[in-house]
Amino acid sequence: VQLQASGGGLVQAGGSLRLSCVASGFSFDDYAIGWFRQAPGKEREGVQCISSSDGSRNWLQAVKGRFTISSDNAKNTVYLQMNNLKAEDTAVYYCAKAPFCTHYSGTYTQWGQGTLVTVSS
């Protein structure tokens, strides 16, 4: 079981990035995939989640309308499209696997390595 996150980078405020989380070793039909982020000096926070049974969930009011989670089950990949990025979105973004969508990080049993998003103002 493995999760591989990618797509981070340096972008100017107002720009866009699309993060990818490629999963191997399990079926997306049976699990939820969540995106979390952790900014320097701050706690990890849940961003969004998606599953076949729960659909998509947004946990952060600050990204509502700007971030969109989606999945391509044929590619075993979950995406996080991030538009109109702001300096406060700067963080390491992680994808993780859980039996269902929840913002509680302790429920997630498998984590990707994280990808750094830096937004310059």
Side-chain angles (χ1 to χ4, degrees):
V1 176
Q2 189 174 7
L3 294 171
Q4 183 77 28
S6 64
L10 175 63
V11 64
Q12 288 188 336
S16 298
L17 283 174
R18 188 178 77 161
L19 306 183
S20 299
C21 177
V22 180
S24 60
F26 66 95
S27 170
F28 271 11
D29 289 337
D30 300 328
Y31 293 94
I33 299 294
W35 283 101
F36 287 75
R37 70 184 187 183
Q38 187 165 19
K42 295 187 177 181
E43 292 187 355
R44 189 172 298 186
E45 58 185 358
V47 180
Q48 296 187 345
C49 181
I50 192 167
S51 74
S52 297
S53 57
D54 299 319
S56 62
R57 295 284 187 269
N58 179 71
W59 310 122
L60 271 185
Q61 186 63 29
V63 307
K64 192 174 183 180
R66 300 189 296 119
F67 289 12
T68 303
I69 193 170
S70 63
S71 67
D72 185 336
N73 287 12
K75 296 182 178 179
N76 251 24
T77 302
V78 170
Y79 303 99
L80 186 68
Q81 178 67 44
M82 306 186 297
N83 297 329
N84 191 22
L85 283 160
K86 303 177 181 181
E88 51 265 40
D89 295 319
T90 294
V92 177
Y93 284 72
Y94 300 88
C95 60
K97 162 182 164 277
F100 53 87
C101 274
T102 173
H103 67 282
Y104 177 54
S105 61
T107 304
Y108 290 78
T109 56
Q110 187 76 27
W111 291 80
Q113 83 286 5
T115 184
L116 176 63
V117 172
T118 304
V119 184
S120 63
S121 56

